[in-house]
Amino acid sequence: MLGNFGKLFKLRVLLGFGKSQHRTFAQAGAQGTSAVKATRARCGEDYHTHFDPKAYLARYSPGHDFYGMKMFFIQQLHEIFRDNQVRGDRLLDIGTGPAIANLISASRHFSEIIASDYAESNRTELWAWIRAEAGAYDWSHYFKIVAELERNRENWEVIQQQIRQKIKAVVPCDVNQENPLAPSVFQPFDAVLCSSVVDVATSCLAAYNLALRNISSILKSGGYLVLTGHLNFESNYVVGDEEFSIVPVTKPNIEMALDGAKLRLVDWREIPMHSSDVPRHHIEGLYVLLAKK
């Protein structure tokens, strides 16, 4: 946890909060109640046709409603990897999306990274950044933040170049599959990073539990899972003009899923959210956890 109330309140201010059944992903359906206007929440194969990577990346911009949430994840991931000595040869980022921000701190501790995502459009966006193509999203703001956390701000461009070199592949993934990286086959990984993925890629708590078991299956014995997400996200989540379904989960739900996947909780950090923090969404909190297989 994040210490006492005073420390938690300070963190909320710094982040900008409080101002004014087993199926493949393609078959997953919408669950839960919606606090936003919706006709039908998108899910499954809709990610191929209705998920706009550019609209999603807009939430990483300073001033966006979700920016403070991104900063919480960035700071806590930095500390999780630093404080727990999470390191090794090979890291899998499962469900990377079009964004590499959460990979920055992790990349410093591994020599090889495999990125992955369900949607081809997101994989295309990732490759554009890796190859430094014109029009690719500019992540320099986040590299500078992580470099500052590492007290190495002047070398942020070196960190950026290193991560580009360490990403060896960007492959399809589906956490609802027994092999989430099918058709690719890899040896088990030293660590898996999964950022706000399992609850949006599944249709119910049973599927959520199974997805964590699938992810655990590609993790080495003694390896680490780093998982980030939202607590009790009871609305659909909005990307551009589209809404996507999400399974609301609580800490007890997550602990039960970890236990079923033979993962032991090592570190848990969370921060509460208020209704005013992210308009049009109902979220009770954010978390980052570390678990060991």
Side-chain angles (χ1 to χ4, degrees):
M1 295 294 291
L2 290 174
N4 58 32
F5 177 80
K7 182 177 179 182
L8 184 59
F9 178 78
K10 181 178 180 182
L11 179 59
R12 286 182 55 82
V13 172
L14 287 172
L15 296 179
F17 293 147
K19 296 181 180 179
S20 11
Q21 312 6 146
H22 174 41
R23 295 182 275 183
T24 65
F25 187 31
Q27 296 168 322
Q31 294 287 318
T33 59
S34 175
V36 293
K37 183 179 178 181
T39 50
R40 183 187 72 86
R42 302 293 184 183
C43 58
E45 288 190 343
D46 292 334
Y47 278 84
H48 291 305
T49 54
H50 291 83
F51 188 86
D52 182 352
K54 300 293 188 185
Y56 178 81
L57 289 170
R59 63 180 58 193
Y60 283 87
S61 301
H64 191 279
D65 291 338
F66 275 78
Y67 180 72
M69 296 167 60
K70 302 306 179 185
M71 289 298 98
F72 169 78
F73 291 137
I74 293 293
Q75 179 176 335
Q76 297 308 312
L77 285 169
H78 163 73
E79 294 180 8
I80 285 273
F81 282 95
R82 180 198 64 194
D83 297 347
N84 295 280
Q85 297 294 301
V86 180
R87 60 193 68 234
D89 294 325
R90 299 168 59 247
L91 170 72
L92 169 67
D93 186 19
I94 193 157
T96 311
I100 57 92
N102 287 354
L103 259 177
I104 301 173
S105 289
S107 70
R108 304 282 282 163
H109 304 283
F110 296 87
S111 55
E112 180 178 311
I113 298 168
I114 303 298
S116 63
D117 199 74
Y118 178 78
E120 183 177 0
S121 58
N122 286 338
R123 299 195 300 270
T124 299
E125 191 72 32
L126 284 173
W127 275 123
W129 180 82
I130 294 166
R131 294 166 176 160
E133 295 176 2
Y137 191 82
D138 180 6
W139 291 104
S140 59
H141 176 69
Y142 285 86
F143 278 99
K144 291 173 183 176
I145 290 171
V146 173
E148 183 72 33
L149 290 171
E150 296 179 353
R151 299 181 181 180
N152 192 24
R153 184 175 177 84
E154 66 276 8
N155 289 326
W156 70 268
E157 290 178 294
V158 173
I159 301 172
Q160 178 175 253
Q161 186 57 31
Q162 286 175 341
I163 192 172
R164 282 189 166 118
Q165 295 170 348
K166 288 181 179 182
I167 298 175
K168 304 302 182 183
V170 179
V171 300
C173 72
D174 183 349
V175 297
N176 296 283
Q177 299 275 17
E178 185 175 0
N179 170 16
L181 300 179
S184 301
V185 177
F186 292 90
Q187 292 297 312
F189 292 87
D190 297 295
V192 175
L193 173 63
C194 188
S195 302
S196 305
V197 171
V198 184
D199 49 359
V200 301
T202 53
S203 60
C204 60
L205 282 175
Y208 182 98
N209 294 346
L210 183 56
L212 274 187
R213 294 201 294 273
N214 293 338
I215 293 170
S216 180
S217 72
I218 53 177
L219 184 62
K220 283 183 179 178
S221 178
Y224 287 99
L225 170 68
V226 181
L227 189 69
T228 81
H230 313 82
L231 295 171
N232 258 346
F233 197 140
E234 293 183 347
S235 59
N236 298 327
Y237 78 97
V238 180
V239 179
D241 296 326
E242 301 288 350
E243 296 175 21
F244 292 83
S245 64
I246 185 167
V247 177
V249 292
T250 63
K251 186 180 180 184
N253 294 151
I254 297 166
E255 290 173 327
M256 184 176 295
L258 291 173
D259 186 61
K262 295 181 170 53
L263 295 164
R264 175 176 59 86
L265 184 61
V266 174
D267 196 344
W268 173 277
R269 293 134 188 263
E270 76 174 71
I271 189 170
M273 300 284 288
H274 299 156
S275 59
S276 60
D277 291 333
V278 187
R280 297 200 300 160
H281 296 80
H282 182 275
I283 307 170
E284 288 189 1
L286 310 175
Y287 72 89
V288 178
L289 71 81
L290 176 70
K292 187 173 184 179
K293 185 173 179 181

